[in-house]
Amino acid sequence: MPPKQKKKQMTSIVSSAKGQKLTRSEEKLVRQEEEKKRLEEEEIRLAAERVEQERLDKLRFEEDERKRIAEADKARKQNELPELIQILERNKIAVAKMNKNLREMNKWQRYMRCDGTPDPAISQAINTFINLTKENPNVDVKSLFEGGGTILQLLDELEILLSDTPPDELPEATAFQYQQTIWDLQELLSNINNKATDILLQKAIDLVDIETGNMQEVVTDENITLCLWANFNKNPRFKGYAFVNHNVEFELPKPLAMSDIAVRILHTHYDHISCRSPNFYTHQRAFKMKPAAVEIGSALNEDEEPQAEGEQQEIIEDQKAPEEQKAPEEQKVPEEQHTLEAMQSVDEEAKTPRLTRTKSTASTSSKDEAEMKSITSSKEAISEDLDKKLLSIDTIQEIPILEIDDNIVDFRLYTPLGGVYYYDALKLPPQPKFVKGWRIVQLKDTGLQTCIYPPESTKEDSPTPDEKEGENPPAPPVGITIKLPPKALFFEQPKPARWDPEGQQWRTDGIYNITFEPEEQILSFKMDTFNIFTLSQRYHINMPFRFWEIRPRAENDAILTVVAAFTKVEIRIKDLCQLCPVSVVDNISNLRGKWMSASSLIVSMINAGLNIFPGSDSENYVKTNAKNKQVTLQLYTEMALVSSAIALRCSKWNFTSDHDEILLQACESLSSEMIAEEDWSLYMVRPERSHKLKVKESSEELSNEIAENTDFYSNLYHMMRGLASDAAKERILNIDDLFYSNMHEILHATQLLTHTVQVN
């Protein structure tokens, strides 16, 4: 019977049963229907019980898994943290030993030959100085500039020696002696340039151009360009002259057109002026202050249990008041007290870095000597109890923001680039005369004499009303037109600044009518008088960054890519560092492809205008992604340790995560081949632990859920090593000390984790 018909029959049976007795067949049909209904209800009940049992089993499994992960995490920390400390200690000691041997070898090669006689470079510099002091008439301009190049090399070597040598290897008396030598060599270099100018001016009459009737002479060297003009024609209509082949043009004020003067435009490709400024040292570069050793595990709590998905976990930073941080002496074990004292001494040392005069607006620093001092020498010092009590050290020292006059160049905001221009009006010395076949020269022991401009006004018999009030008519300005220096990158119109010899500052007042032609890279401006001037660019012009990536190429060989605001920078890092060449020729082609140490590369890039290295107080001037400094400093170390086998890059989720959470992408990479997007995984690093996330970079929402078949780790280093293949693990364990040191220094100098705020 069809169900519809059967249902209709049952309805009629039930309705009829109300008034009369059912037949046997009808009763049987009712019983069958009731039994079927009971069976259906039982089946539903059993299904619900099975679902509930499955849910309980899943919860029980998840709880057991959390307990297993927690126990494994707790047990792992006791082994991972001391192991990481030992690895860092071993690397730092090895690097320090190699650097010390290299310094000793270089010092011997620089200042003494193998037979014990002085190095020829020193002798040549001394001979040059003797020739200058004795006024040797046989000294020519070419030999003077060659001596200047030798002195520049000596200056570079002394500055590197002074800045790279740890304080315990270089006594203060010796450091002061080296510093005094640097100042003397800088003064000698200035005297050489003046002497070369004086030699040319003394024989200017012999160099007169027939067409113009004046002397126009250009002398070029690897380090200087000297453009010299002498006024012999004395044309009252003369307005200026252009050194066409050297892209330099000057305007001569009308009051000087009839004077016995010479105009010098000396461009030194180096800068020994900026270091004289008092505020030069107020802005400590990031690479000047090496990170003190981050106490691994100091922010971790061994008793913490992993939290269930969706459960809020409170992270408390170790920023107690000083009186709360200091435990009573009787409660500290000797090892803990020793460690705290060592860390405090490092903190004090980081606050007072050794200051050196450098050839540019930046200097290098020693090779992680502070980091070595704060590492304990035994595993016992890294106990669970000590882990809870160690102080959290903020290794990036905050430098107070000093108020500076708006007209003074603030080295925290601007960087002088392209060297220094000496724009002078000089008195023309007496020229040789020929009398009856004799060449008569009037000798004066005065050297170069500056022509004062504007000149002191001479009062007339009938002064003007302005002069009666004590005011003189303004003197015509002096103009200058130059092409931007060829060994510096300018990403915007540079800002000219003049040198104030009294205040020892670069100033921007007294400069006006500035025009710039970006296509030709031509800059023109006027000044009230002749000045020493330079060109400056915003220090943070390429910050913040938009993207970064570390990609291994081979064992102990990786490329760091940083996409900055205006350019893309690639640095290849091995036992030395190299700014990778590009397909087009640019202003710093002489720097690209050259292997050098990490410190030298940082200085060279800043000097060339390719600055991707934030200062210690850059967060006050540029947008940053604020993160826990303790975690970021520790993470730079761990990233350097795995960068030979693990590719790393930024994540968009790092900009929206909490202050104590750092998210980045990682993927094992043992060759230089491109990495597919689906191979990248997302990782979260927190003060207490690190883990791989279940979500991907392309996910629409961020979840802290841990990836399947993975565990918690105490740090990024052990997480990458634990998830890596045997070949990658072998690379990580056998990392070269110099590769690690260079990678760590570059990462710490760029501060990628906090100064990248937008992903392409």
Side-chain angles (χ1 to χ4, degrees), residues 548 625-627 650-658 661-664 702 752-754 756:
W548 65 266
N625 184 21
K627 293 294 180 180
C650 61
S651 169
K652 65 181 180 180
W653 300 112
N654 192 46
F655 316 130
T656 57
S657 59
D658 293 340
E661 296 176 345
I662 296 179
L663 286 95
L664 50 82
L702 177 64
L752 299 172
L753 298 175
T754 56
T756 305

Side-chain angles (χ1 to χ4, degrees), residues 151-421:
I151 292 174
L152 274 176
Q153 294 178 2
L154 295 176
L155 278 169
D156 290 342
E157 293 165 357
L158 279 173
E159 288 166 355
I160 293 174
L161 180 65
L162 187 60
S163 59
D164 279 0
T165 306
D168 56 349
E169 296 181 19
L170 191 64
E172 289 298 328
T174 306
F176 179 78
Q177 182 180 358
Y178 285 166
Q179 184 68 79
Q180 187 63 45
T181 303
I182 290 176
W183 295 336
D184 294 340
L185 289 176
Q186 290 176 356
E187 186 67 23
L188 176 58
L189 199 60
S190 178
N191 292 337
I192 287 177
N193 293 332
N194 290 337
K195 180 62 178 179
T197 304
D198 192 26
I199 291 175
L200 290 174
L201 289 181
Q202 287 179 4
K203 58 179 181 180
I205 193 67
D206 300 330
L207 303 174
V208 170
D209 182 53
I210 298 177
E211 295 182 1
T212 63
N214 297 319
M215 186 270 280
Q216 301 91 218
E217 188 71 13
V218 178
V219 180
T220 60
D221 185 72
E222 181 183 0
N223 303 304
I224 66 100
T225 299
L226 173 61
C227 298
L228 199 59
W229 176 87
N231 188 17
F232 288 103
N233 196 9
K234 295 185 177 61
N235 184 356
R237 297 181 180 179
F238 181 83
K239 295 183 179 179
Y241 182 80
F243 297 89
V244 180
N245 295 333
H246 299 275
N247 302 300
V248 176
E249 181 179 355
F250 70 90
E251 297 179 15
L252 189 69
K254 189 173 181 180
L256 299 178
M258 299 294 292
S259 304
D260 291 327
I261 66 163
V263 174
R264 178 181 72 167
I265 305 174
L266 172 64
H267 177 209
T268 62
H269 302 167
Y270 49 85
D271 179 6
H272 286 318
I273 298 293
S274 297
C275 60
R276 303 177 188 175
S277 175
N279 67 50
F280 175 73
Y281 298 112
T282 60
H283 179 45
Q284 302 295 333
R285 310 291 188 207
F287 58 89
K288 262 189 170 184
M289 302 180 65
K290 294 294 179 180
V294 178
E295 195 64 38
I296 306 298
S298 61
L300 307 183
N301 189 338
E302 300 289 349
D303 295 331
E304 286 181 353
E305 296 290 337
Q307 312 222 341
E309 181 66 24
E311 184 177 351
Q312 297 293 333
Q313 181 178 7
E314 183 179 5
I315 301 174
I316 303 176
E317 295 184 16
D318 192 4
Q319 296 179 347
K320 301 179 181 180
E323 59 274 7
E324 295 177 353
Q325 291 179 341
K326 296 180 180 179
E329 294 297 330
E330 60 272 14
Q331 295 179 3
K332 297 182 181 179
V333 296
E335 291 84 0
E336 179 182 352
Q337 182 177 356
H338 173 73
T339 304
L340 292 175
E341 291 175 353
M343 296 173 69
Q344 290 170 359
S345 65
V346 171
D347 192 36
E348 291 298 326
E349 183 176 343
K351 293 180 181 179
T352 57
R354 178 182 296 156
L355 303 180
T356 63
R357 288 197 177 194
T358 60
K359 127 181 186 177
S360 64
T361 58
S363 68
T364 58
S365 59
S366 58
K367 299 286 184 181
D368 289 342
E369 68 276 5
E371 192 164 358
M372 292 179 55
K373 290 186 178 181
S374 63
I375 298 179
T376 57
S377 59
S378 61
K379 282 187 178 181
E380 290 77 10
I382 315 298
S383 61
E384 179 177 350
D385 182 69
L386 179 58
D387 234 358
K388 298 177 182 179
K389 297 180 181 179
L390 284 176
L391 299 179
S392 175
I393 293 185
D394 182 2
T395 56
I396 297 182
Q397 301 298 330
E398 298 291 343
I399 296 179
I401 301 177
L402 304 179
E403 295 295 334
I404 298 179
D405 185 354
D406 293 339
N407 294 322
I408 296 177
V409 174
D410 189 348
F411 288 96
R412 298 168 299 183
L413 298 176
Y414 290 92
T415 301
L417 293 178
V420 175
Y421 291 84

Side-chain angles (χ1 to χ4, degrees), residues 495-539:
K495 187 176 184 180
R498 63 177 181 86
W499 180 251
D500 176 17
E502 295 182 0
Q504 296 289 291
Q505 304 278 7
W506 290 112
R507 300 185 63 91
T508 57
D509 53 345
I511 302 177
Y512 45 90
N513 290 353
I514 303 175
T515 59
F516 181 63
E517 301 176 12
E519 295 183 358
E520 293 79 12
Q521 296 285 285
I522 299 295
L523 181 70
S524 302
F525 55 91
K526 296 182 182 297
M527 296 184 289
D528 294 332
T529 184
F530 294 91
N531 280 299
I532 301 173
F533 68 88
T534 189
L535 306 178
S536 61
Q537 182 172 257
R538 285 186 294 134
Y539 184 84

Side-chain angles (χ1 to χ4, degrees), residues 371-586:
E371 192 164 358
M372 292 179 55
K373 290 186 178 181
S374 63
I375 298 179
T376 57
S377 59
S378 61
K379 282 187 178 181
E380 290 77 10
I382 315 298
S383 61
E384 179 177 350
D385 182 69
L386 179 58
D387 234 358
K388 298 177 182 179
K389 297 180 181 179
L390 284 176
L391 299 179
S392 175
I393 293 185
D394 182 2
T395 56
I396 297 182
Q397 301 298 330
E398 298 291 343
I399 296 179
I401 301 177
L402 304 179
E403 295 295 334
I404 298 179
D405 185 354
D406 293 339
N407 294 322
I408 296 177
V409 174
D410 189 348
F411 288 96
R412 298 168 299 183
L413 298 176
Y414 290 92
T415 301
L417 293 178
V420 175
Y421 291 84
Y422 295 78
Y423 186 22
D424 306 309
L426 306 172
K427 293 181 180 180
L428 196 61
Q431 297 300 304
K433 296 181 181 180
F434 294 89
V435 180
K436 296 181 180 182
W438 290 87
R439 181 183 176 94
I440 302 176
V441 181
Q442 180 182 356
L443 298 179
K444 284 189 175 181
D445 191 17
T446 57
L448 291 180
Q449 290 184 304
T450 304
C451 179
I452 299 177
Y453 185 84
E456 297 180 358
S457 60
T458 304
K459 301 292 183 178
E460 299 180 357
D461 294 337
S462 55
T464 63
D466 291 338
E467 290 175 334
K468 289 181 180 180
E469 297 177 1
E471 296 180 0
N472 297 324
V478 297
I480 185 74
T481 300
I482 59 172
K483 187 172 184 178
L484 298 188
K487 294 184 179 180
L489 289 177
F490 291 91
F491 298 97
E492 63 181 3
Q493 176 179 330
K495 187 176 184 180
R498 63 177 181 86
W499 180 251
D500 176 17
E502 295 182 0
Q504 296 289 291
Q505 304 278 7
W506 290 112
R507 300 185 63 91
T508 57
D509 53 345
I511 302 177
Y512 45 90
N513 290 353
I514 303 175
T515 59
F516 181 63
E517 301 176 12
E519 295 183 358
E520 293 79 12
Q521 296 285 285
I522 299 295
L523 181 70
S524 302
F525 55 91
K526 296 182 182 297
M527 296 184 289
D528 294 332
T529 184
F530 294 91
N531 280 299
I532 301 173
F533 68 88
T534 189
L535 306 178
S536 61
Q537 182 172 257
R538 285 186 294 134
Y539 184 84
H540 303 97
I541 188 172
N542 267 311
M543 305 172 204
F545 312 133
R546 294 183 291 164
F547 179 81
W548 65 266
E549 179 182 274
I550 302 173
R551 183 165 48 90
R553 289 176 52 91
E555 187 173 5
N556 297 312
D557 184 0
I559 288 183
L560 169 65
T561 301
V562 179
V563 179
F566 284 90
T567 187
K568 178 181 177 181
V569 181
E570 289 188 342
I571 301 175
R572 188 172 181 182
I573 302 173
K574 299 173 68 175
D575 54 347
L576 292 172
C577 300
Q578 176 198 78
L579 181 63
C580 295
V582 293
S583 56
V584 297
V585 178
D586 61 3

